[in-house]
Amino acid sequence: MKRIKAVYPGSFDPPTNGHLDLIERGSKIFDELVVAILQNPEKAPLFSVADRRRMLEAMTTDFDNVSVDTFEGLTVDYALHVEASALLRGIRAISDYEYELQMALMNRKLQPGIETVFMMPAEKYSYVSSRLVREVVQLGGSVSCLVPDLVAQKLREKMDVAHKFENSQKPSGKPSIEAKSKSRKKKV
Ligand code: PNS
């Protein structure tokens, strides 16, 4: 019987519970599933590809038929390279559909032999995206129910480093220009 291998491509910056939900669903219908992180030199990601790979590997240890890899260039070329015949993508809401349809049709044009399979994550994750997770964390909100614990921990570490850097850039003890001009006005 033909074994079906699928690639689940994405940025995963950071991986969320929605991604994990989709990986679990994908692992049940495909014989093999490769979670493939795009290395995109044009984007400035929050997490390095190596960090994202480590997080995804830790998140997927329980799934025997799931592996994690990274790729550059076209997704369909990567899929051919690993001998996969399907791409897995998630659709959370109708707003995802237009972009996903366009991408699926372009991928089909490029490689007619590779099918895109859409799956829906659990409704409770239908509003969760990596972009919103990054935004909430950067503004000091909690994302503990939206990402696995290890990702939440990594996000906290990132924010601590960012805050320490910000603080180190602030002038220490010197009065600001505004404060100086106020004190001059008082003397007059
Ligand atoms: O998690 P994302 O950012 O929605 O994933 C988008 C991704 C990586 C699947 C998409 O940008 C992609 O496939 N990029 C690789 C380049 C490519 O194949 N482009 C043509 C697709 S139509």
Side-chain angles (χ1 to χ4, degrees):
M1 213 171 81
K2 193 175 176 231
R3 289 177 62 80
I4 300 186
K5 183 172 184 177
V7 167
Y8 177 22
S11 307
F12 307 104
D13 186 32
T16 67
N17 283 341
H19 292 130
L20 186 57
D21 182 278
L22 214 73
I23 291 169
E24 187 172 357
R25 287 172 201 278
S27 76
K28 287 181 188 151
I29 66 162
F30 297 113
D31 298 298
E32 264 182 84
L33 181 65
V34 184
V35 181
I37 309 161
L38 174 67
Q39 301 189 33
N40 187 349
E42 281 167 26
K43 272 196 183 173
L46 181 62
F47 288 104
S48 68
V49 169
D51 274 347
R52 283 178 269 163
R53 185 181 190 146
R54 273 192 288 271
M55 287 188 270
L56 281 161
E57 277 171 352
M59 285 161 61
T60 54
T61 45
D62 289 346
F63 307 113
D64 292 342
N65 60 345
V66 175
S67 59
V68 181
D69 198 4
T70 63
F71 74 103
E72 284 174 287
L74 289 175
T75 297
V76 286
D77 285 348
Y78 172 76
L80 275 189
H81 172 69
V82 295
E83 296 176 348
S85 55
L87 298 177
L88 171 65
R89 290 288 290 172
I91 291 200
R92 292 161 299 188
I94 199 75
S95 49
D96 284 339
Y97 181 72
E98 218 172 312
Y99 169 63
E100 292 297 335
L101 177 73
Q102 203 179 7
M103 214 160 47
L105 293 177
M106 179 60 83
N107 282 332
R108 181 187 281 167
K109 182 82 190 156
L110 292 167
Q111 273 308 332
I114 295 179
E115 281 301 333
T116 298
V117 176
F118 294 123
M119 294 185 85
M120 288 158 292
E123 307 89 274
K124 62 182 171 181
Y125 302 128
S126 61
Y127 65 96
V128 180
S129 71
S130 297
R131 185 181 63 78
L132 282 184
V133 164
R134 288 197 302 273
E135 188 172 315
V136 170
V137 166
Q138 277 160 351
L139 296 172
S142 167
V143 291
S144 54
C145 298
L146 312 180
V147 296
D149 287 347
L150 75 119
V151 176
Q153 176 61 31
K154 281 272 173 206
L155 283 164
R156 275 193 294 275
E157 286 168 19
K158 268 271 170 231
M159 290 310 113
D160 285 350
V161 171
H163 288 146
K164 276 187 193 139
F165 178 75
E166 260 173 41
N167 289 337
S168 73
Q169 298 297 301
K170 284 186 189 152
S172 54
K174 283 188 187 165
S176 65
I177 294 171
E178 202 185 32
K180 274 186 191 164
S181 80
K182 271 185 194 159
S183 74
R184 254 185 245 125
K185 273 181 200 155
K186 265 186 193 166
K187 278 179 204 159
V188 173

